[in-house]
Structures are given as C-alpha cells and as structure tokens.
C-alpha cells in the first residue's frame, strides 16, 4: 500500500476504533443449560435390563434372518427418494459452507473491455480525437480481502460447517427411520399371514360343523336354526379372510413404495420367514445412557445445532465492530490498441475501506438477542431429545419383558381352548349340546390363536423398537 494512502487512512481508522470502543454492545442473554444424560434416572426397566448387550449393528435387521427383508431394505437405502432428498441436503449444506469459506479468502477477478466511440468535436476532448471515432481498451486485475479482524466471517463459516454435520446426522436419521418403517411393515405382513392361516383353519372347521348340522337336521336330531347359525358363521369367516387378504395386499404396496419401487413390485413379495433368537434384543449396552448421545442421530443433530447457534452468536457480536476491507486493482488502459501494452498505459490503485455501524435503531442489538434465544431453543431441543431417547429405550424394554410373559400365557390359553373345542365337538356329535356351544368353542380357539400370533409379532416389533431407540448401528461424531 502506498505510504500516502496509509497516512490518509490512519486518522479515519483511529476515529472508528475509538467509536467502536463506545459501541452499545450488550452481553447476550442465554438461559438454557445442556442436560447431562447421566443425571437422569434411567428407571427400573433400564436398570433391570442385562448390560451385556452390544450396540446395534449397521445392518441390525439381518438378525431377523429373512433374505427377502434384507433385499427390501438394501433397495430402499439405495434408491428411496426421501433418503436421496436427505443426502442432497447434505450436499447443499456442503455447498453453502463452501460459500462461507470463500468469504474468508482473498478474491481476485480479471476483466477486459473494448469500445468504439465517437468523441464530440465541441466537448473537452482535444484533436485529433475530437469529431472522430476511436477504440478505447482496458484490461484490469482486481483483488479484494476482508480482514475479518473480529472473526465474523470465521464464525459464519463455523456455523455453516456445523450445518453440514447437522445434515449428515439427519441423513442418518432418515436412513434409520426408513429401515425401521420397512421392518415394521414387514412384521405386520408376517402377522397378517399368520392370522390368515388361523382364519382358514377356522373356516374349514366351521364347514365341517355345518356338514354335521345338515346331517343331524336330515335325521331329525337338530333344528333348522342350528343349520342357519352355522351358515352365518361360515359367511363371517369368509369375510374375515377377505379383510386379511386386503391388509396383505396393502402392506405389499406400502413395502414396495418404501423400497422406492412401483406397486407391481409389491406383488412379488413372498410370505415372510422371520425368526429371532430367543432373548435377542432384551439386553442393552453397559455404557447406556452415556454413549447413547453419539449413537442416536437425532441427538447428534441437536448437539451440532447448539454449536451452530453458538457460532452465530459470535458473528452477531462481531457485527458491532469496524469492518475493514482492502481492495486493489492493476491493469492497462489506452485509446486504441496499438499502445495498450505500453508501459505508459499502466494504471493501479488501492482502495481501503472501513465501515462501522453508528446508529441502527437497535437492529444489531436485537439480532444478537435473537441469536441468544435461538441458542436456548437449540439447547432445550437437545435436552428434550435426551429425555425422549431414554424414554424410547425404556418403553422398548418394558414391552420386551411383558411379551416374554405374554408368550407363555398365550400358549397356555391356546392349549386350554383347543381342549375345550374337542369336548364341545364330542358333545355336539353325541347330541348332548347344540351347535352354538360348538361354534363358541371354535371361535374361542380362533381368538386365542390370533392372540398368540399377535404376541409373536410383538417380539419382532419390540426388537425393531429397541434397535431404533439405540440409534440403529452407526456412531456419529459429537462436537
């Protein structure tokens, strides 16, 4: 920078720095405090759970041992539009961070221009240009740099980089949510198949009882009412089967959509063959809840939001101080092209600039307090995520423990109901009871078998819930 430019700039800089010392910068008010997960009471369900469990594997659904399910999830993670949207947002955040990084670096531009003009014979231009046409050409290189003395640009860059981390965590959350949704619907499809089997067995038994009723009616041992009652239950059984087939068709379509495919691909989905080892999914890692913070993508995203909010507070504070920019240019300019590259055509300049807000009606102050409030929002959202995460883990464990008891009770209930059905049918054949008794016993068996199927599906559902609550298998970086 030329000495005379520095000399001219020093008084102005001194005045602005003096004014900056008097700028009405107020401390930002933040009230929220980050919650320590270890300070929360984990509850009986978590404390009573076995602590020899491992964190979920990245492909936790493979523990259900169904190759078709594995293909559906893999297809979804590769091409599902909603997941691709989340990944595109990561790239968008990276691009925005790149723009913020550019503001912290010098900028250099080059420009060249040429124009042919006619100069007035009656103006200030002297002969021989006066009254004639001539080319005017120029070529310049311009450079600029924001000194960023107070770190505003650096703080904005830090916030933008934090946004990249947020987008990455949200992409992982979308991945986990998608996989969980597919497993949930697939478990429901398996349940509908089991209920369909039960309904078909029930229909066959009702048909057998109807045949018995007709024979007894022809022999004068039963009334027409008995026959009509059995026919009514037969129609009801067919209706139940049709409803179950509708549910299965809808679930196939939903699974195809979740996998990023058309409804026709749902027609190719075969019957699930899910299996889960006894007791699997009933243990939790010993490091819970401390390490849950890094395994849950929603919590990680909230932590990065706190970091981004803190960086924006720093940027808002830096806006109160002088902003100093340096710009310079160098190039050549001439009338006509023949002398464009002559040494005498050279030109150069330096343009330092300093700016400082003096009066803005409280705009900067309110912007700073707004960022402080947004920081509090981010902290409280983080705290809520921790509470919600522990609640979801505890809920899954409570359900798992309950299902273990329900499975034994369901098996016992089915065995008792089947014995009751056998006695009722024997009594009906012997003419010692009416058809309604046999129908009631048969419906009792159907209901208990359905309950048994529901309890079995709950075991798979609860495994899915626990894996989701534990974060789905990928540990993310925490700030």
């Amino acid at each position: 920078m030329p000495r005379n430019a520095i000399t001219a700039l020093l008084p102005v800089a001194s005045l602005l720095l003096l004014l900056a010392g008097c700028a009405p910068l107020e401390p930002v008010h933040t009230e929220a405090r980050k919650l320590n997960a270890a300070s929360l009471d984990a509850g009986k369900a978590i404390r009573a759970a076995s602590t020899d469990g491992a964190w979920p594997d990245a492909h936790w659904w493979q523990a259900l041992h169904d190759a078709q399910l594995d293909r559906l999830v893999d297809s979804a993670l590769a091409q599902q539009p909603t997941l691709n949207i989340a990944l595109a947002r990561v790239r968008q955040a990276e691009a925005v961070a790149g723009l913020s990084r550019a503001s912290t670096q010098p900028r250099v531009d080059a420009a060249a221009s040429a124009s042919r003009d006619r100069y007035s014979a009656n103006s200030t231009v002297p002969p021989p240009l006066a009254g004639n046409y001539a080319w005017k050409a120029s070529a310049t290189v311009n450079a600029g740099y924001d000194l960023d003395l107070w770190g505003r640009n650096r703080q904005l860059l830090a916030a933008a980089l934090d946004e990249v981390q947020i987008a990455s965590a949200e992409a992982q959350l979308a991945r986990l949510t998608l996989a969980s949704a597919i497993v949930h619907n697939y478990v429901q499809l398996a349940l509908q198949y089991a209920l369909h089997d039960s309904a078909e067995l029930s229909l066959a038994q009702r048909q057998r009882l109807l045949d018995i009723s007709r024979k007894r009616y022809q022999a004068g041992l039963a009334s027409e009412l008995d026959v009509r009652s059995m026919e009514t239950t037969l129609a009801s059984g067919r209706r139940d089967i049709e409803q179950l087939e509708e549910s299965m068709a809808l679930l196939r379509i939903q699974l195809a959509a979740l996998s990023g495919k058309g409804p026709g691909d749902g027609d190719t989905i075969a019957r699930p063959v899910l299996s889960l080892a006894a007791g699997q999914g009933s243990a939790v890692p010993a490091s819970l809840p401390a390490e849950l913070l890094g395994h849950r993508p929603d919590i990680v995203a909230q932590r990065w939001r706190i970091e981004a909010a803190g960086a924006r507070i720093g940027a808002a504070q830096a806006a109160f101080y002088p902003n100093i920019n340096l710009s310079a240019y160098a190039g050549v300019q001439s009338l006509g092209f023949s002398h464009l590259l002559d040494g005498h055509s050279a030109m150069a300049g330096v343009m330092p600039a300093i700016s400082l807000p003096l009066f803005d009606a409280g705009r900067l102050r309110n912007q700073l307090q707004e960022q402080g409030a947004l920081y509090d929002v981010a902290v409280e959202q983080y705290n809520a995520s921790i509470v919600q995460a522990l609640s979801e883990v505890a809920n899954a464990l409570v359900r798992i423990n309950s299902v273990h008891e329900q499975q034994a009770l369901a098996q016992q209930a089915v065995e008792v109901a089947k014995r009751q059905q056998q006695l009722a049918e024997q009594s009906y054949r012997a003419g010692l009871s009416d058809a309604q008794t046999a129908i009631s016993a048969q419906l009792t068996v159907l209901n208990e078998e359905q309950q048994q199927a529901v309890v079995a599906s709950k075991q798979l559902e609860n495994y899915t819930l626990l894996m989701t609550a534990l974060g789905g298998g990928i540990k993310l970086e925490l700030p």
Side-chain angles (χ1 to χ4, degrees), residues 1 9 13 103-106 144-154 322-327 352-354:
M1 182 184 299
L9 185 63
S103 66
T104 66
Q105 304 294 325
Y145 182 55
D146 185 345
L147 295 181
D148 195 24
L149 295 178
W150 317 110
R152 181 176 182 274
N153 292 337
R154 293 190 296 273
N323 185 38
I324 302 177
N325 290 286
L326 297 178
S327 358
I354 302 178

Side-chain angles (χ1 to χ4, degrees), residues 232-313:
T232 300
T233 63
L234 203 66
S236 176
R238 293 194 182 99
R239 180 198 62 203
D240 293 341
I241 290 175
E242 178 58 32
Q243 290 175 343
L244 291 168
E245 289 176 349
E246 175 193 11
S247 297
M248 288 189 287
L250 293 175
L251 285 168
R252 289 193 189 95
I253 293 173
Q254 179 67 14
L255 284 167
L258 289 171
S259 301
K261 298 180 179 179
D265 288 277
D267 298 335
T268 64
I269 297 177
R271 179 170 185 161
V273 289
L274 298 169
S275 65
L276 184 65
Q280 186 167 0
S282 59
V284 296
S287 53
L288 187 84
E291 287 194 18
L292 187 63
L293 307 184
H295 285 270
R296 289 269 303 211
D298 55 337
I299 296 179
V300 174
Q302 296 300 343
R303 279 286 294 268
W304 281 110
R305 283 193 175 91
I306 293 175
E307 295 298 311
R312 291 192 182 96
I313 288 177

Side-chain angles (χ1 to χ4, degrees), residues 322-385:
N323 185 38
I324 302 177
N325 290 286
L326 297 178
S327 358
Y329 70 92
V332 291
Q333 187 180 64
S334 72
L335 291 172
F337 293 103
S338 60
H339 299 290
L340 182 63
L341 300 180
D342 288 354
H344 295 292
S345 298
M347 59 178 182
V350 178
M351 295 173 290
I354 302 178
S355 63
L356 172 71
L358 296 178
F359 177 76
D360 62 358
R363 179 179 61 86
L364 292 178
R365 186 182 306 110
N366 286 304
Q367 285 180 351
L368 179 59
Q369 297 307 323
E370 178 192 17
Q371 294 304 322
L374 291 175
Y375 178 87
D376 286 344
V377 170
V379 170
E380 296 300 351
Q381 287 176 335
Y382 167 77
N383 294 342
S385 296

Side-chain angles (χ1 to χ4, degrees), residues 41-180:
D41 186 348
K44 292 190 299 183
I46 294 178
R47 288 196 300 268
S50 173
T51 57
D52 59 352
W55 288 102
D57 183 81
H59 299 87
W60 52 269
W61 54 86
Q62 293 180 353
L64 299 176
H65 305 291
D66 190 312
Q68 181 176 237
L69 173 61
D70 298 342
R71 290 193 298 271
L72 288 172
V73 177
D74 291 342
S75 174
L77 298 181
Q79 63 184 32
Q80 223 288 336
T82 56
L83 183 56
N84 290 335
I85 290 173
L87 296 175
R89 285 176 177 156
V90 175
R91 297 194 299 273
Q92 179 187 20
E94 290 173 343
V96 171
L99 293 175
S100 296
R101 182 179 288 105
S103 66
T104 66
Q105 304 294 325
R107 178 175 178 176
V108 179
D109 300 311
S113 65
S115 64
R116 183 170 176 78
D117 303 312
R118 185 184 186 280
Y119 293 91
S120 172
N122 300 314
S123 185
T124 59
V125 178
L129 293 177
N132 294 307
Y133 284 92
W135 284 96
K136 182 170 70 174
S138 66
T140 59
V141 175
N142 302 287
Y145 182 55
D146 185 345
L147 295 181
D148 195 24
L149 295 178
W150 317 110
R152 181 176 182 274
N153 292 337
R154 293 190 296 273
Q155 293 286 1
L156 291 176
L157 173 59
L161 292 173
D162 292 339
E163 290 291 341
V164 174
Q165 298 292 343
I166 293 170
S168 298
E170 289 180 339
Q172 176 57 24
L173 178 60
R175 183 180 187 275
L176 174 60
T177 301
L178 180 60
S180 299

